[in-house]
Amino acid sequence: MPSSFSKPPLDPSLDSSLSLDSAEAEQRLREAEERLRDAMEELQRRQRSAARGSHAECDHADVSCVANAIGNLCQSFLLSYGVRVGIGILLRAFKLARGQSYSSLLDLKQLVSEKDLIVRDEACRIGLLFGGFTGSYHALRCCLRKWRKKETPLNSVLAGSVAGLSVLALDDSNQRRTLALYLLARLGQAAYNSAKSKNKFHLWGSHWRHGDSLLFSLACSQVMYAFIMRPETLPKSYREFIQKTGPVARPVYEAVRQCCRGGPIDVASLSAYIYSKNEASDVKVEEFASIIPCSAIHPHTNSCLAQNANAMSATFKKTFPLYFSLTFVPYVVLHLHKFMASPYRTSWHAIRDSVRSTSFLSAFVGLFQAFICAHRKVASKDHKLVYWFAGGVAALSVMLEKKPRRSELALYVLPRAGDSLWEILVNRHILPNIKNAEVAVFCGCMGGIMYYLEHEPDTLAPFLRGLIRRFLASQISNSSSKISQSSSYMYLQTLDALEKPKPPPESREGETQNAEEKYNLEAIPGL
């Protein structure tokens, strides 16, 4: 028996009319949202235009300009100093653990002694570099605001360029040149992204899915060619890193270099190395050999396949502590709040990324060695371009890395390849040798990067943008930041009012506070 309270069936025509009214209401709501968005963008544009010609006050009203600059200097110094010392301590712990001296890990004298942990001088210099740049940048920005009585992009360019003189804290010109070339590549990336976003310019092939891998491959070709044929054009630390990571000894590289140049080979040194690895070896090396055989490159084994497998395994064991230190310490120091919130998750991410990066480097060594051995199976004469192509083929191992990481690696190796090419051209008297040119390049690049960071931040890579903002303590002032934040907040509140019913009076205060915390980006740690 049907219930007397059951609803009568609805008329189909009534259902269709209700759905039509609902669709029309949603359409009107979307149109109103578009008009509101256009109005807010126009308002922001007008306010930014007006702000450029008016006096811009500093955004640290609670402290003086001098206190703000000194506070940021100290904070950046301690942060960068802690990162460098932390990496050194972790590498020292891996070294003690590798020697099976586990009890010494608890002995602070062995773990952090100045005799075994020589990082204080380098850590202080790195701290002065980052701290000096941060403090001087904030001080110069305040001075330019008061002197010019307005906030324009020229302020950030001038402040960044002059603050770039802090690179003189590094006493090694090779380090300064490497850092300057790295920033030059980053500045070029930002300028290209800016021009591309404005439809002014774009490179052919820039839409390729693996364009970053191609760039990395070309850079590695030049670096490995320089390492084999012109090692003096690479920084000493970088050259030693490649030497220690690879499975081939220094006398073999020297013999290969002389062989490709057609010069005499140091037979005594090469023979002594072969005998030290395999006393039963009967390899005979001529003084003017046309090619160095595989039996001299890896005399301890006759199998090229076994040599490649052993090389990859040894590279993984040697470089994993380094990659783990470079990954884990920045995770903890630069994102301490995330580590304290979920230490196990952060540690797992560090281990996972370290294994991935170490596997990439191990595969690079294996592919490079395999290409060299394969060439000796089919050719009877060596050539220097073989090692250029070997570096390009080995660089395909970068596909093991995550997509964002590939572009980072490409822009890391590219300056070293450019530096090597520059040195070769200078040695051949094609380009002039300008003293302290790296300082001027660094200052100019920092001026450009600070401009893009403040006025076109989306053009910078997320890694570089987040790193600079982290060391600048999120105190970067933007002439339109307050305007954009206020307008965005009002816009979001308007949309919420259109989409949601009004809450009870007693809960409005709490929701307003939550909304402010949600959309206030300056309140988010690390941004």
Side-chain angles (χ1 to χ4, degrees):
M1 180 176 180
S3 173
S4 59
F5 296 99
S6 60
K7 296 181 180 180
L10 297 177
D11 187 1
S13 61
L14 182 60
D15 288 340
S16 60
S17 62
L18 289 176
S19 60
L20 183 60
D21 293 341
S22 177
E24 292 178 354
E26 292 179 359
Q27 179 65 23
R28 289 194 300 269
L29 181 60
R30 285 194 295 267
E31 293 176 356
E33 182 181 344
E34 291 294 334
R35 290 193 298 270
L36 180 60
R37 183 182 293 109
D38 295 339
M40 298 304 299
E41 291 177 356
E42 179 65 18
L43 178 61
Q44 292 180 21
R45 186 187 65 81
R46 292 182 180 180
Q47 290 177 337
R48 283 195 296 265
S49 300
R52 292 191 183 100
S54 61
H55 175 68
E57 296 182 357
C58 298
D59 57 352
H60 49 83
D62 52 337
V63 294
S64 64
C65 296
V66 176
N68 178 65
I70 295 177
N72 281 282
L73 186 152
C74 296
Q75 179 177 348
S76 296
F77 176 86
L78 294 175
L79 189 63
S80 54
Y81 184 91
V83 169
R84 181 61 187 92
V85 172
I87 292 174
I89 292 176
L90 198 55
L91 287 175
R92 174 63 179 166
F94 271 109
K95 185 177 181 180
L96 294 175
R98 184 179 296 176
Q100 296 183 353
S101 179
Y102 301 107
S103 59
S104 60
L105 295 176
L106 302 178
D107 188 359
L108 292 180
K109 291 184 178 180
Q110 298 189 45
L111 186 63
V112 298
S113 64
E114 193 66 26
K115 178 182 178 181
D116 300 310
L117 188 66
I118 309 176
V119 298
R120 185 174 62 182
D121 179 70
E122 183 180 356
C124 287
R125 292 187 179 276
I126 293 176
L128 290 174
L129 169 62
F130 285 93
F133 178 84
T134 302
S136 58
Y137 178 78
H138 285 292
L140 288 169
R141 287 299 301 272
C142 294
C143 292
L144 288 172
R145 288 192 195 100
K146 296 180 179 179
W147 178 50
R148 304 186 68 216
K149 297 182 179 180
K150 58 182 178 180
E151 183 66 89
T152 63
L154 183 61
N155 289 4
S156 56
V157 174
L158 291 176
S161 299
V162 178
L165 292 174
S166 60
V167 74
L168 294 173
L170 302 178
D171 60 343
D172 189 358
S173 60
N174 291 325
Q175 290 183 352
R176 296 198 300 262
R177 184 170 64 250
T178 300
L179 189 58
L181 290 173
Y182 174 76
L183 291 179
L184 182 62
R186 289 296 188 180
L187 180 60
Q189 181 192 28
Y192 172 74
N193 290 337
S194 176
K196 186 178 180 180
S197 63
K198 298 173 184 177
N199 294 325
K200 293 183 178 180
F201 174 76
H202 69 89
L203 292 174
W204 176 80
S206 60
H207 61 283
W208 290 354
R209 182 180 179 184
H210 299 296
D212 47 6
S213 301
L214 177 60
L215 180 61
F216 179 76
S217 180
L218 293 175
C220 286
S221 297
Q222 173 61 30
V223 168
M224 296 310 298
Y225 169 82
F227 175 73
I228 299 295
M229 300 304 304
R230 301 294 298 270
E232 69 277 2
T233 62
L234 293 175
K236 182 180 179 181
S237 58
Y238 197 65
R239 189 169 64 243
E240 292 179 351
F241 173 77
I242 298 177
Q243 178 68 56
K244 293 178 180 179
T245 303
V248 181
R250 195 183 305 273
V252 178
Y253 284 127
E254 294 177 354
V256 169
R257 189 179 308 117
Q258 294 300 325
C259 178
C260 292
R261 293 175 177 175
I265 298 174
D266 189 351
V267 178
S269 176
L270 184 59
S271 299
Y273 165 73
I274 295 174
Y275 182 80
S276 64
K277 296 296 182 181
N278 187 359
E279 297 181 358
S281 176
D282 56 352
V283 179
K284 301 297 182 181
V285 182
E286 301 177 358
E287 185 177 3
F288 291 92
S290 60
I291 192 171
I292 304 298
C294 290
S295 56
I297 295 178
H298 46 85
H300 53 281
T301 176
N302 295 325
S303 173
C304 295
L305 185 61
Q307 163 66 11
N308 296 336
N310 294 334
M312 294 176 64
S313 176
T315 301
F316 191 96
K317 293 178 181 178
K318 287 186 291 186
T319 57
F320 178 78
L322 174 63
Y323 272 110
F324 182 76
S325 302
L326 294 176
T327 304
F328 181 74
V329 174
Y331 265 146
V332 175
V333 177
L334 299 181
H335 304 284
L336 183 60
H337 60 284
K338 293 183 179 180
F339 178 76
M340 297 300 294
S342 55
Y344 296 106
R345 181 181 179 84
T346 304
S347 301
W348 163 246
H349 286 171
I351 295 174
R352 182 197 59 189
D353 293 344
S354 302
V355 170
R356 185 192 290 267
S357 298
T358 309
S359 300
F360 143 69
L361 188 59
S362 302
F364 184 97
V365 172
L367 287 175
F368 187 84
Q369 183 67 38
F371 190 96
I372 301 303
C373 291
H375 168 255
R376 278 151 174 74
K377 299 296 182 183
V378 299
S380 58
K381 184 176 177 60
D382 206 355
H383 196 276
K384 58 185 179 181
L385 289 181
V386 171
Y387 305 96
W388 193 92
F389 287 104
V393 172
L396 296 177
S397 60
V398 77
M399 303 297 291
L400 296 176
E401 285 280 10
K402 295 184 294 185
K403 179 66 175 178
R405 177 69 173 163
R406 298 173 196 170
S407 60
E408 296 290 338
L409 289 171
L411 292 176
Y412 173 76
V413 179
L414 182 62
R416 298 185 182 276
D419 185 20
S420 171
L421 183 60
W422 177 278
E423 288 293 326
I424 292 175
L425 295 177
V426 168
N427 293 337
R428 294 182 179 181
H429 304 287
I430 299 177
L431 293 177
N433 185 15
I434 304 176
K435 188 177 181 180
N436 294 327
E438 72 279 356
V439 178
V441 173
F442 182 86
C443 292
C445 291
M446 286 308 305
I449 287 176
M450 296 311 298
Y451 163 78
Y452 284 110
L453 180 67
E454 295 199 19
H455 300 278
E456 299 182 41
D458 293 337
T459 60
L460 291 174
F463 169 77
L464 182 63
R465 183 173 66 245
L467 183 65
I468 297 178
R469 284 179 172 173
R470 183 66 182 89
F471 278 99
L472 287 177
S474 301
Q475 296 289 337
I476 301 174
S477 63
N478 194 329
S479 59
S480 61
S481 61
K482 297 180 180 179
I483 298 171
S484 301
Q485 182 179 352
S486 175
S487 302
S488 301
Y489 176 74
M490 292 173 60
Y491 173 66
L492 291 169
Q493 291 297 311
T494 304
L495 291 183
D496 288 341
L498 291 174
E499 295 177 0
K500 298 180 180 180
K502 294 184 178 180
E506 60 272 9
S507 63
R508 290 180 184 175
E509 182 179 356
E511 291 185 359
T512 303
Q513 183 178 0
N514 292 335
E516 290 178 354
E517 294 177 356
K518 181 178 181 181
Y519 297 115
N520 183 12
L521 297 181
E522 298 296 334
I524 302 176
L527 290 181

